[in-house]
Amino acid sequence: MEFDYNKLRLAAVKDMATTLGDVGGSDWEEPSLCDGWQVRHVPAHIITGYLFSPEEVAEVVAEVGSVPEAVKRGAIQFASALDAATIVDEFERHVGQPEPTGVAAIMSPPELFVDQVVHRFDVAIPLGLRADVSEELLFAALSTAPSVEGFIGSKDRASGLRLEATDVDWMWGEGPVVRGSAEALLLALSGRPCGVERCEGAGVELLAAKQGVDGRSRDRGLAMQ
C-alpha cells in the first residue's frame, strides 16, 4: 500500500497542535517520554528542525560533538526563550507548512511523518492527555516504521522480529513474536520503553534489549548536505 506521507504528516501536525492546546500551566515543565526533555522541549525540538539549516546544525555538532546533543541544545535554548503560547503559535506556523524546511527537508517523508506521530505521544502520555491517533495514521506509521533509520532507528529494532498489532490489521517480519496495540508497537520501535512494557510475546526480551539502538546517535552527514 502506498501512502502520501506529506499529507499524513500535516494531519499528524494538526493532531499535535490539538494536544499542545490541552497542555497548561506547570504541565509544560513536566518530563516528557524523551529522556531528559521537559514537555516544552518536544515541540521546540520539532520547530527547530524546520527553522535551522543543515549547515547551522552541523556547526553546533562540531561544537558539542554529536547530533543528539546538538538537537537537545537547540530545543532547550529555543524553548527557554519563549512562553507556552508562543511555542504553540510557532509550532503551528512552521511545522504546519505544506512543505518542510530546514533540517526537516532532508529527512525522508516517512521518517518525518513517524517522528511527528511519536512526538505527540511523548507529550500526551506522561501528562495523561488523550492522544486519539486515528487508525489511518497508526496503520501508516506502523507500515513504514520497520524501514525507518535516521533519527528514529526503528529499522534496527524491528530486525529479526515478528510484529503483530492487536487492534489494527497489521503484521510484519519473521522471528520471535512481539504482539501489542499499534500504539505500543510504534512506541517500542521508536525506542520508548513504555511501549515495550505494553507488549507481549517471545520477542519482547529481544526488543527490550534493542531499546538502546538509537538512530539519533548516527552521524547523518549534515555537514555534507
Side-chain angles (χ1 to χ4, degrees):
M1 181 180 295
E2 295 185 0
F3 299 99
D4 183 340
Y5 289 109
N6 196 49
K7 180 179 178 181
L8 291 168
R9 174 186 65 85
L10 291 173
V13 167
K14 184 177 180 180
D15 286 347
M16 178 67 155
T18 298
T19 294
L20 293 177
D22 291 334
V23 179
S26 61
D27 287 346
W28 287 96
E29 320 309 323
E30 291 295 316
S32 72
L33 290 187
C34 299
D35 188 30
W37 289 26
Q38 296 174 342
V39 165
R40 65 167 46 243
H41 299 146
V42 178
H45 154 64
I46 302 174
I47 295 165
T48 55
Y50 284 71
L51 284 177
F52 299 158
S53 70
E55 292 77 16
E56 289 173 314
V57 174
E59 289 179 3
V60 181
V61 172
E63 179 182 344
V64 301
S66 70
V67 173
E69 188 59 33
V71 169
K72 183 175 182 179
R73 174 183 288 192
I76 291 175
Q77 290 182 343
F78 185 84
S80 65
L82 302 174
D83 59 26
T86 304
I87 291 176
V88 175
D89 289 343
E90 291 291 287
F91 179 86
E92 294 179 337
R93 185 159 67 94
H94 293 289
V95 186
Q97 297 176 90
E99 297 294 336
T101 58
V103 173
I106 69 170
M107 295 173 65
S108 71
E111 179 185 0
L112 197 57
F113 161 62
V114 172
D115 190 62
Q116 183 65 59
V117 173
V118 172
H119 279 317
R120 186 184 182 199
F121 291 125
D122 290 335
V123 170
I125 290 176
L127 296 181
L129 298 176
R130 294 176 64 88
D132 296 324
V133 178
S134 70
E135 183 174 321
E136 176 190 16
L137 292 186
L138 281 174
F139 183 83
L142 270 183
S143 295
T144 194
S147 64
V148 170
E149 298 179 291
F151 290 106
I152 299 174
S154 53
K155 180 177 181 178
D156 288 337
R157 296 189 188 92
S159 177
L161 295 171
R162 171 72 170 178
L163 307 171
E164 299 179 356
T166 57
D167 55 349
V168 298
D169 185 15
W170 182 85
M171 56 188 66
W172 181 93
E174 298 294 336
V177 173
V178 177
R179 187 180 297 108
S181 68
E183 178 182 320
L185 289 172
L186 186 60
L187 287 168
L189 290 176
S190 302
R192 277 64 175 174
C194 66
V196 181
E197 294 167 0
R198 294 161 53 189
C199 294
E200 60 182 11
V204 167
E205 185 174 347
L206 176 57
L207 181 55
K210 293 183 176 188
Q211 286 301 284
V213 176
D214 188 348
R216 288 172 296 181
S217 67
R218 300 172 184 157
D219 180 358
R220 305 187 69 219
L222 289 172
M224 304 297 294
Q225 298 296 326

